[in-house]
């Protein structure tokens, strides 16, 4: 596969991840053109990046020169761009979520042709440690999985991991949830570290998603993304074993338990001169995940997004879907029901939506 040339719609915080990936891996990825509404922002990006930056979506579409377009816009306006680009025959990789509410999810689903090439850039399942856990789950060593407790990401991101770990697609769910507030010392934000000691309020949501024979447990407060004192947690339970964060146990036979640990293998530590990067994740003497973007210095989040770009190119060339619009809609739908359950205090039942037929 040659250099993947993609277009980028949006110039905000999320779009910056794609800019960093293209800069770190020029032999793999290139931004062919951008669309940004703000003229001053467009001029700045054009000067810094040396690529054409349009302030008109019409001109962005007409210019072409890219294999697909990545949409990094606010959820309130993303839907319109997805519909427009899909109608023009432009393959679309859209950031999550594809629309803010159920009404607009349905509008989006009904507006795009089923032949349109649309994927959602849901990256969590491709973060190295999560990818290793999913591979271990799929290996069958833990037996049939019955429960996944996820406290690593908000809303639709957390639900996407629950579905992947439980091997759930569009099955109906009974959702119970509650939210509560508590005090926490203010930590880092997108803008950087805290400048002074400040006690703030934070909201936590706890929810269960009962799929009948499988249970998802969601627990998250948004401070976990940046906090120095709020850790992420993940538990997966199967008939023969479980994963608890990076600790794994399973029964090799009824009287022989096996205990192992998922271990990050990094280059560049101590006297190692390979460069600073993640090599992969090992467990029980085997690679459960290998970083395909060595030797670029990328965070786990950037590795996962780069994986989405790579898979999108394969999909455009006729390869398999990796995270369809239907899946993206389902995760957002369940996240909306979770919010509804937390607000009402009542059990909320999901119903089959049109995309469930995919």
């Amino acid at each position: 596969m040659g250099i993947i040339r993609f277009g980028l719609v949006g110039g905000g915080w999320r779009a910056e991840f794609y800019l960093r990936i293209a800069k770190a891996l020029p032999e793999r990825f290139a931004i062919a053109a951008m669309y940004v509404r703000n003229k001053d922002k467009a001029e700045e990006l054009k000067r810094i990046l040396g690529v054409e930056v349009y302030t008109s979506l019409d001109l962005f579409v007409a210019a072409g020169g890219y294999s697909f377009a990545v949409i990094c816009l606010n959820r309130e306006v993303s839907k319109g761009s997805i519909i427009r680009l899909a109608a023009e025959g432009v393959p679309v990789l859209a950031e999550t979520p594809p629309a803010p509410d159920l009404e607009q999810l349905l509008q989006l689903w009904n507006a795009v042709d089923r032949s349109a090439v649309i994927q959602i850039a849901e990256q969590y399942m491709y973060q190295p440690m999560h990818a290793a856990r999913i591979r271990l789950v799929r290996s069958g060593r833990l037996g049939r999985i019955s429960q996944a407790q996820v406290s690593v990401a908000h809303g639709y991101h957390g639900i996407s991991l629950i579905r992947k770990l439980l091997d759930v697609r569009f099955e109906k769910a009974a959702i119970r949830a509650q939210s509560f507030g508590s005090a926490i010392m203010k930590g880092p934000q997108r803008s950087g570290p805290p400048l002074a000691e400040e006690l703030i309020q934070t909201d936590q949501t706890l929810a269960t998603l009962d799929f009948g024979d499988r249970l998802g447990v969601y627990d998250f407060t948004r401070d976990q993304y940046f906090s120095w004192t709020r850790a992420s947690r993940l538990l997966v339970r199967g008939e023969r074993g479980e994963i608890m964060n990076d600790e794994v146990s399973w029964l090799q036979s009824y009287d022989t338990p096996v205990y192992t640990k998922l271990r990050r293998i990094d280059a560049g530590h101590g006297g190692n001169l390979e460069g600073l990067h993640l090599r992969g994740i090992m467990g029980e003497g085997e690679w459960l995940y290998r970083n395909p973007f060595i030797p670029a210095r990328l965070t786990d989040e950037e590795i996962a997004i780069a994986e989405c770009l790579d898979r999108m190119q394969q999909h455009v060339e006729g390869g398999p879907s990796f995270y369809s619009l239907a899946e993206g809609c389902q995760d957002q739908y369940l996240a909306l029901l979770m919010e509804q359950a937390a607000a009402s205090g009542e059990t909320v039942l999901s119903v089959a939506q049109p995309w469930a037929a995919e």
Side-chain angles (χ1 to χ4, degrees):
M1 184 185 297
I3 295 177
I4 297 171
R5 297 176 60 82
F6 63 95
L8 188 56
V9 177
W13 181 78
R14 196 60 187 170
E16 291 174 1
F17 284 80
Y18 293 89
L19 299 180
R20 290 195 295 271
I21 291 166
K23 182 178 180 180
L25 289 161
E27 74 283 1
R28 298 282 294 269
F29 305 107
I31 297 172
M34 291 184 67
Y35 163 64
V36 178
R37 288 188 300 175
N38 184 281
K39 185 176 180 180
D40 291 338
K41 179 75 170 180
E43 289 297 328
E44 178 188 6
L45 288 169
K46 184 176 181 179
R47 183 178 67 256
I48 294 172
L49 302 175
V51 301
E52 199 62 51
V53 183
Y54 301 95
T55 55
S56 162
L57 190 59
D58 289 337
L59 292 177
F60 172 82
V61 171
Y66 42 85
S67 180
F68 57 89
V70 177
I71 297 180
C72 291
L73 297 174
N74 185 289
R75 69 180 69 186
E76 302 296 334
V77 298
S78 179
K79 179 192 74 173
S81 295
I82 296 173
I83 293 172
R84 170 67 197 288
L85 291 175
E88 295 286 350
V90 177
V92 170
L93 177 62
E95 274 286 334
T96 54
D101 53 46
L102 179 57
E103 179 182 1
Q104 293 190 61
L105 286 171
L106 291 170
Q107 289 173 0
L108 172 59
W109 182 257
N110 292 327
V112 296
D113 191 273
R114 296 284 74 82
S115 64
V117 180
I118 303 173
Q119 295 288 288
I120 303 301
E122 176 52 62
Q123 78 279 14
Y124 272 84
M125 60 186 171
Y126 300 125
Q127 286 187 4
M129 189 61 79
H130 294 320
R133 292 176 178 126
I134 291 170
R135 179 172 176 179
L136 188 58
V137 164
R138 297 285 186 270
S139 74
R141 292 179 198 174
L142 307 183
R144 189 174 188 277
I145 304 301
S146 60
Q147 185 175 152
Q149 299 184 20
V150 174
S151 180
V152 299
H154 76 278
Y156 42 85
H157 288 311
I159 288 176
S160 75
L161 277 177
I162 287 172
R163 286 200 311 106
K164 289 299 177 184
L165 291 165
L166 293 178
D167 195 22
V168 166
R169 286 186 52 75
F170 305 106
E171 290 87 337
K172 295 180 182 179
I175 303 174
R176 302 171 181 85
Q178 68 178 95
S179 295
F180 62 94
S182 61
I184 185 175
M185 197 63 67
K186 186 176 181 179
Q189 306 295 316
R190 288 184 182 181
S191 57
L195 301 177
E197 185 168 304
E198 181 183 356
L199 198 63
I200 61 172
Q201 284 294 116
T202 186
D203 291 317
Q204 181 176 3
T205 299
L206 290 164
T208 58
L209 294 88
D210 187 346
F211 295 99
D213 59 346
R214 285 157 290 179
L215 179 69
V217 180
Y218 171 97
D219 174 7
F220 196 68
T221 172
R222 279 183 177 266
D223 297 277
Q224 287 176 227
Y225 282 130
F226 291 97
S227 177
W228 291 325
T229 60
R230 291 291 185 268
S232 295
R233 308 175 306 284
L234 190 144
L235 171 66
V236 184
R237 286 181 166 165
E239 298 165 329
R240 303 187 65 83
E242 71 174 27
I243 303 170
M244 177 60 176
N245 294 332
D246 60 357
E247 301 281 347
V248 185
S249 59
W250 75 86
L251 291 174
Q252 193 175 69
S253 63
Y254 76 95
D255 60 352
T256 307
V258 175
Y259 304 99
T260 190
K261 194 177 184 76
L262 301 180
R263 181 183 173 190
R264 295 179 65 93
I265 308 298
D266 294 312
H269 291 195
N272 182 276
L273 301 179
E274 294 179 69
L276 187 61
H277 57 258
L278 171 72
R279 291 184 61 200
I281 310 293
M282 295 197 78
E284 194 61 19
E286 68 173 299
W287 288 106
L288 294 173
Y289 173 84
R290 288 179 183 265
N291 180 6
F293 304 109
I294 291 172
R297 295 179 64 174
L298 299 175
T299 65
D300 284 6
E301 178 82 347
E302 290 161 351
I303 289 171
I305 296 170
E307 182 74 25
C308 289
L309 289 170
D310 201 53
R311 288 174 180 263
M312 182 64 185
Q313 181 63 32
Q314 294 177 44
H315 182 55
V316 168
E317 294 176 356
S321 168
F322 62 94
Y323 204 83
S324 66
L325 176 60
E327 289 187 272
C329 288
Q330 183 70 4
D331 286 336
Q332 174 67 339
Y333 170 55
L334 293 179
L336 292 167
L337 292 186
M338 189 167 63
E339 293 176 6
Q340 179 184 335
S344 67
E346 299 177 351
T347 300
V348 176
L349 304 177
S350 70
V351 297
Q353 297 297 329
W355 52 76
E358 288 295 295

